[in-house]
């Protein structure tokens, strides 16, 4: 997490640390121990203990003393349901993206910016087919991912500069922008992909609820989703699916030509 102490006095580090505890949980977790939470958040154990106690007292965590594991509490559940209901495009996208997952045999994901990384907010698995195992809450890097490339390529200049980019990320952004102009989707080049076991292709979507782009991506093992298949079949199919979503919610494309 970026150190905001000196950059902006409005930033509350205690609140940010508390939120990092909530963000540590994944859909497949059967609770997390104090040690597991410390490992995932990077927080000192004493700080984590105080935060966990406060989150339990306010209903955002629950704690089973029998097995000493924390789980998200009823307040977190209510907040998640409110957030889901307020983001209308996700429900609209579900039918389109599930059909795409079934057609292409890939895992379709929705990725959003989360601090310095991306978080998978929603996944759609192909019915009756094996797929890579990524789940909501999983985080991936911006640099080296097709989702990250699609998002940074369509961020406005002010938001992009606020990420404190290095020259490597600037070049990555420019490559993504050129790909979106040329063919409507991004594929991170083989030499910078963050994972050699997953291939993915991505298309940005402007989410008015967030005020910035998110990314829809199709991913699979390289032997299933080859570079040729990404370029010739799955990329165009994903682009068409996102365009259909834009028509259904009456929004224009995320890509805006920069000056």
């Amino acid at each position: 997490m970026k150190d905001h102490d000196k950059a902006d006095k409005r930033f509350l580090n205690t609140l940010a640390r508390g939120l990092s505890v909530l963000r540590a949980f994944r859909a497949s977790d059967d609770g997390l121990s104090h040690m597991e939470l410390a490992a995932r958040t990077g927080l000192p154990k004493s700080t984590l203990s105080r935060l966990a106690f406060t989150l339990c007292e306010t209903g955002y965590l629950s704690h089973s003393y029998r097995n000493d594991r924390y789980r998200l509490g009823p307040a977190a559940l209510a907040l998640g349901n409110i957030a889901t209901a307020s983001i209308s495009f996700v429900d609209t996208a579900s039918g389109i993206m599930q059909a795409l997952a079934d057609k292409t045999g890939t895992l379709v994901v929705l990725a959003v910016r989360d601090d310095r990384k991306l978080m998978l907010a929603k996944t759609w698995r192909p019915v009756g087919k094996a797929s890579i195992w990524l789940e909501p809450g999983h985080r991936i890097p911006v640099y080296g991912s097709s989702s990250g490339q699609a998002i940074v390529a369509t961020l406005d200049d002010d938001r992009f500069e606020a990420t404190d980019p290095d020259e490597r990320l600037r070049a990555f952004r420019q490559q993504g922008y050129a790909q979106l102009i040329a063919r409507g989707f991004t594929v991170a080049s083989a030499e910078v992909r963050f994972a050699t076991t997953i291939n993915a292709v991505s298309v940005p979507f402007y989410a008015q609820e967030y005020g910035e782009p998110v990314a829809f991506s199709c991913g699979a093992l390289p032997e299933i989703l080859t570079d040729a298949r990404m370029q010739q079949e799955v990329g165009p199919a994903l682009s068409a699916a996102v365009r259909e979503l834009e028509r259904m919610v009456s929004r224009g494309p995320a890509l805006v030509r920069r000056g």
Side-chain angles (χ1 to χ4, degrees):
M1 180 181 296
K2 184 178 179 181
D3 183 1
H4 293 266
D5 282 342
K6 296 179 180 178
D8 195 331
K9 293 183 179 179
R10 295 172 298 178
F11 190 88
L12 297 176
N13 275 300
T14 301
L15 175 58
R17 289 170 178 167
L19 293 174
S20 75
V21 175
L22 299 180
R23 285 161 40 208
F25 289 86
R26 300 168 188 164
S28 62
D29 290 331
D30 184 19
L32 294 175
S33 68
H34 190 278
M35 185 175 297
E36 288 169 329
L37 277 173
R40 289 192 184 180
T41 60
L43 294 171
K45 291 182 179 180
S46 58
T47 300
L48 179 59
S49 293
R50 294 194 298 272
L51 291 171
F53 176 81
T54 302
L55 290 168
C56 285
E57 289 294 299
T58 53
Y60 287 94
L61 287 184
S62 62
H63 184 228
S64 172
Y65 290 95
R66 186 179 53 146
N67 57 16
D68 196 28
R69 301 188 78 78
Y70 292 92
R71 291 176 172 80
L72 292 175
L77 177 61
L79 186 61
N81 286 332
I82 292 169
T84 299
S86 68
I87 303 172
S88 58
F89 78 87
V90 176
D91 280 341
T92 306
S94 287
I96 299 171
M97 297 306 162
Q98 185 60 58
L100 179 66
D102 295 340
K103 175 183 176 181
T104 61
T106 64
L107 177 72
V108 180
V109 306
L110 168 63
V112 301
R113 285 207 301 159
D114 180 43
D115 197 21
R116 292 302 187 93
K117 291 190 174 184
L118 302 180
M119 182 181 69
L120 305 189
K122 181 76 174 177
T123 61
W124 295 269
R125 300 186 181 283
V127 175
K129 298 179 182 178
S131 65
I132 55 177
W133 190 257
L134 296 176
E135 59 189 2
H138 186 85
R139 288 173 176 79
I140 61 175
V142 173
Y143 182 78
S145 69
S146 65
S147 299
Q149 192 164 45
I151 289 175
V152 296
T154 47
L155 280 178
D156 63 49
D157 289 340
D158 288 342
R159 287 180 183 269
F160 179 70
E161 291 302 326
T163 67
D164 192 22
D166 56 18
E167 291 307 310
R168 187 179 65 165
L169 188 60
R170 292 182 189 279
F172 189 62
R173 181 197 193 203
Q174 193 58 43
Q175 292 161 6
Y177 186 75
Q179 290 186 57
L180 291 174
I181 290 293
R183 55 198 183 196
F185 55 85
T186 63
V187 177
S189 58
E191 59 269 19
V192 303
R193 287 176 197 167
F194 78 96
T196 59
T197 56
I198 300 175
N199 279 357
V201 55
S202 303
V203 174
F205 173 83
Y206 184 78
Q208 290 180 346
E209 293 88 345
Y210 300 143
E212 66 176 53
V214 299
F216 287 97
S217 305
C218 292
L221 298 174
E223 56 265 31
I224 296 173
L225 188 58
T226 63
D227 280 79
R229 190 165 177 243
M230 285 192 287
Q231 301 289 352
Q232 299 167 16
E233 177 193 347
V234 179
L238 174 60
S239 181
V242 174
R243 299 293 87 79
E244 180 182 355
L245 174 61
E246 289 169 348
R247 288 192 296 271
M248 291 181 70
V249 297
S250 301
R251 298 182 193 173
L255 182 64
V256 178
R257 184 177 291 277
R258 297 193 296 271

